[in-house]
Amino acid sequence: MEELKTRLISDDGIRCDGRRLDEIRPIKFQIGVLNNTDGSAYVEWGRTKILVGVMGPRESHPKHLALSDKARVEAYYRMASFSVEEWKSPAPSRREVELSKVIREALEPAIFVELFPRTSIDIFIEVLQADGSTRCASISAASLALVDAGIPMRDLVASIAVGKVEGKLVLDVQDKEDKAGDSDMPMAYMPSKNAVTLLQMDGQITHDEFIQSMELLKKGCLEVYKKQKEAIEAHFKGAISNVEEA
Amino acid sequence: MTTFFEARQLVSPGTLLAEGNYQAGFNVYRENGKYYASMVGLADVRNNMISVIPLRGCYIPQPGDIVIGKVVECISTAWMLDIRSPYQGVLFASEFLSKPLNPLKEEARRYLDVGEMVIATVIAFDRTRNPSLTARDHGLGKVHRGTVIDVDFTRVPRIIGKKGSMITMLKKETGAQILVGQNGRVWISGKSRDEEAIIAEAIRKIEAEAHTTGLTDRIREFLVNSRR
């Protein structure tokens, strides 16, 4: 008697939400959505919804934490209680603290921190709805919020994940695939520098699959990068377009 | 030597701007002989210098800049001023008063209290210490009358205009005293509060339409119409 199991990928390589294996979810970035921050961005990444606000560079508080040679970058990743299917405790979890650190480390190489010694740059990330790849969406949206805050950067940071589901590599992992899959590998990338700022992996993959994953990740990051640039274009074009004389 | 942008093209951090023998101006950085933008803004090349006119950003003090600061803290012989920058300005008593201030005998607050506005210039700033300011020069000092408004720091060059065209026009049309601080604060002193409000509105209009053509004429029209 064979066990009945829901499959996540059909025989002709279509995933449970209708995507091909190397297809990303629909991504919509919006810049400058908040009034009381220096820079902000909102992203809808499939069903994942994240709001990012950036404050700074501003005087570092408490003062003893200020660094004398560069700005202190701090990320605060937080999931709303209603962001997941089961209610999440509002207390900061181990996972949130870890993701805050990882996101900060993925963004800091892109920022010219040495230009603002003794100041701090705070990145507040609020996950409103989570459906996988929240760290990737957070990093991608946060780099747009940093741009909106007018913080000098080397490049935008684009991020995406590759997973292994039912023996196949899939780009842009959603929650269902993440939970059922064998591995998850997020990457953050600065395309014009060809520099990786974050690479994590859990689960098990072979060396060949790793090489393939890297190719897939690069391709995905470039697609995200394109969306980011489009969002910047859309937001700032309005400010500089020539007004027709009445 | 090639540039990869059209004049005043919108660029974002990481955009490759040029290759070859150029100089890196504002908001541009060089890496392996290539020039990239580090901010959102409009790319520009002038005298072999590539720069990006920023669309967003905060004020970084430069020696010689005139700034308008708001007192946030009184220390025994100095005041800390909010100058809309990541770094607070320091105004020593000796740079504000014409006589020495003895902290044992009198309080600094007697001369300048929290919340008051000061027009000052930046003497020195190197990011390792807070910028030091002076208000002991002609036209500087405490703001006694008029209105001070906050504007977007990136719009300051537009409010001043090419060779001061916009600010000259504003002063000529209204007869008011106007001072634009480099840090994105404008002091307006007119005959009445209403007049100051009209000028403030005109400046808001400049701020909103900063990167459009024929702006000076439109603002003049606005001032003429609102006076009627």
Side-chain angles (χ1 to χ4, degrees), chain B residues 91-135:
Chain B
L91 181 66
F92 285 105
S94 58
E95 295 294 346
F96 179 69
L97 302 169
S98 46
K99 54 172 178 122
L101 184 132
N102 184 348
L104 297 173
K105 285 191 183 138
E106 48 191 359
E107 279 185 68
R109 277 177 58 184
R110 264 190 56 198
Y111 298 96
L112 209 50
D113 205 351
V114 171
E116 289 185 298
M117 293 282 188
V118 182
I119 301 172
T121 47
V122 180
I123 312 172
F125 178 56
D126 62 1
R127 297 186 201 226
T128 59
R129 257 177 247 195
N130 282 35
S132 47
L133 309 174
T134 180

Side-chain angles (χ1 to χ4, degrees), chain A residues 224-243:
Chain A
V224 174
Y225 190 60
K226 211 175 130 210
K227 301 256 182 198
Q228 288 175 312
K229 289 228 159 183
E230 281 168 12
I232 289 175
E233 194 92 351
H235 180 71
F236 289 101
K237 209 83 197 184
I240 58 164
S241 63
N242 287 358
V243 168

